[in-house]
């Protein structure tokens, strides 16, 4: 495998398909366009792997993203990634639990209000999702409403940018507390990266679909611009305070 080619960092440049390419957006954020299995041998310094990988269940988007070529019909073997880093979490772990060690550290995402009466709900898609982890914690759950166009939380959640999109708050909630660098080998639209920026972690993201890679890049660039703006604002406030005290 040849070394990855760096992509020129310009705000509106499209992602380039082909061989593995690397984009360093910030000292804390590195993105790869390419197949994660090809990139796996190149990875260093990863503390944890947190991802929403393919479930291999043949699911097709029926309403939003129904014209997207994406299909959840690819098998996923988590064992390859257990050797990367010390902590691991995979959404959809119930679909490939037979390939994972037993764990008490399951995470459950409840996608309806906690008092929702499921008995008369005719819909066939899941009202909750499960993630396997080896964090060493007890099982826990989070209620975050995610029902069609009804999406709780950050306004960015209401931008439909990937068929299996997760809430930013959910991905921030499921990050291991003691991991400085998080890898998402199935980055999709980049939500894990946004969660890492907001929680002060370094992020490595991999996506092989050029369209979704470009979506992730744009979202993460926007988040970085906002984060850096806030840091500069706080620094300016601190400097002004220091100047006031220094002149008194």
């Amino acid at each position: 495998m040849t070394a990855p080619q760096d992509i020129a960092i310009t705000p509106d440049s499209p992602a380039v398909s082909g061989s593995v390419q690397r984009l360093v957006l910030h000292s804390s954020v590195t993105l790869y366009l390419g197949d994660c299995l090809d990139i796996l041998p190149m990875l260093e310094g990863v503390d944890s792997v947190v991802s929403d990988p393919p479930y291999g269940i043949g699911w097709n988007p029926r309403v939003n993203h129904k014209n997207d070529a994406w299909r959840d019909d690819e098998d996923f073997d988590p064992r390859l990634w257990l050797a990367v880093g010390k902590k691991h979490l995979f959404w959809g772990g119930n679909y490939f639990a037979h390939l994972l060690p037993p764990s008490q550290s399951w995470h459950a995402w409840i996608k309806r209000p906690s008092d929702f009466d499921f008995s008369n709900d005719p819909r066939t898609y899941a009202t909750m999702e499960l993630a396997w982890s080896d964090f060493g914690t007890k099982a826990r759950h989070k209620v975050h409403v995610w029902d069609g166009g009804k999406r709780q939380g950050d306004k960015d959640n209401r931008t439909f940018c990937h068929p299996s999109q997760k809430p930013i708050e959910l991905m921030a909630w499921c990050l291991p507390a003691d991991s400085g660098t998080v890898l998402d080998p199935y980055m999709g639209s980049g939500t894990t990266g946004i969660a890492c920026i907001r929680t002060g972690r370094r992020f490595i993201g991999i996506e092989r679909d050029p369209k979704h890679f470009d979506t992730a890049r744009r979202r993460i660039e926007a988040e970085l611009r906002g984060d850096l703006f806030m840091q500069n604002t706080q620094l300016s406030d601190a400097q002004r305070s220091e100047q006031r005290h220094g002149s008194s």
Side-chain angles (χ1 to χ4, degrees):
M1 187 74 191
T2 58
Q5 172 191 352
D6 286 349
I7 301 174
I9 304 176
T10 56
D12 298 314
S13 63
V16 180
S17 62
S19 60
V20 173
Q21 297 170 27
R22 179 179 58 224
L23 174 59
V24 180
L25 290 178
H26 184 266
S27 60
S28 64
V29 178
T30 301
L31 308 182
Y32 288 90
L33 172 61
D35 191 306
C36 61
L37 299 182
D38 293 335
I39 297 166
L40 175 58
M42 308 176 188
L43 298 172
E44 296 179 350
V46 174
D47 296 315
S48 64
V49 180
V50 175
S51 192
D52 183 25
Y55 302 165
I57 57 176
W59 180 75
N60 298 337
R62 294 191 301 273
V63 182
N64 299 301
H65 302 281
K66 64 182 179 181
N67 296 320
D68 196 306
W70 182 92
R71 295 291 182 270
D72 190 354
D73 56 4
E74 180 181 341
D75 291 332
F76 171 67
D77 189 342
R79 294 171 295 186
L80 296 171
W81 301 100
L82 294 179
V84 180
K86 297 180 179 179
K87 299 288 181 70
H88 311 85
L89 179 142
F90 305 113
W91 285 102
N94 47 307
Y95 295 110
F96 38 83
H98 61 291
L99 300 175
L100 290 162
S103 175
Q104 64 178 353
S105 305
W106 286 83
H107 291 53
W109 169 31
I110 312 301
K111 302 163 74 171
R112 303 287 183 272
S114 56
D115 59 351
F116 188 86
D117 182 3
F118 294 95
S119 59
N120 296 315
D121 186 357
R123 293 168 290 189
T124 58
Y125 52 86
T127 55
M128 66 174 292
E129 296 191 26
L130 296 172
W132 176 95
S133 87
D134 56 5
F135 292 175
T137 60
K138 299 295 185 181
R140 56 182 183 152
H141 78 279
K142 180 178 180 63
V143 178
H144 189 103
V145 176
W146 199 259
D147 185 5
K150 187 177 182 181
R151 295 184 167 190
Q152 183 182 4
D154 194 284
K155 64 180 182 180
D156 186 76
N157 288 336
R158 290 179 283 282
T159 301
F160 290 79
C161 49
H162 192 279
S164 62
Q165 183 178 350
K166 297 291 185 289
I168 296 169
E169 296 86 350
L170 179 75
M171 297 311 297
W173 169 72
C174 71
L175 294 173
D178 55 351
S179 292
T181 300
V182 176
L183 166 69
D184 187 347
Y186 296 87
M187 176 175 62
S189 59
T191 302
T192 307
I194 294 173
C196 285
I197 294 168
R198 294 189 180 184
T199 56
R201 293 170 169 85
R202 294 180 296 276
F203 176 67
I204 302 172
I206 306 173
E207 175 57 44
R208 70 182 184 186
D209 183 291
K211 176 182 175 183
H212 293 313
F213 178 91
D214 199 49
T215 298
R217 177 185 63 79
R218 291 174 185 275
R219 292 180 73 207
I220 292 172
E221 281 182 334
E223 184 67 26
L224 283 170
R225 285 194 294 269
D227 184 60
L228 293 173
F229 172 78
M230 289 301 297
Q231 290 181 24
N232 291 334
T233 300
Q234 292 168 0
L235 179 61
S236 297
D237 289 344
Q239 289 173 333
R240 284 194 291 270
S241 176
E242 183 178 349
Q243 289 172 352
R244 286 197 300 271
H245 285 86
S247 60
S248 60

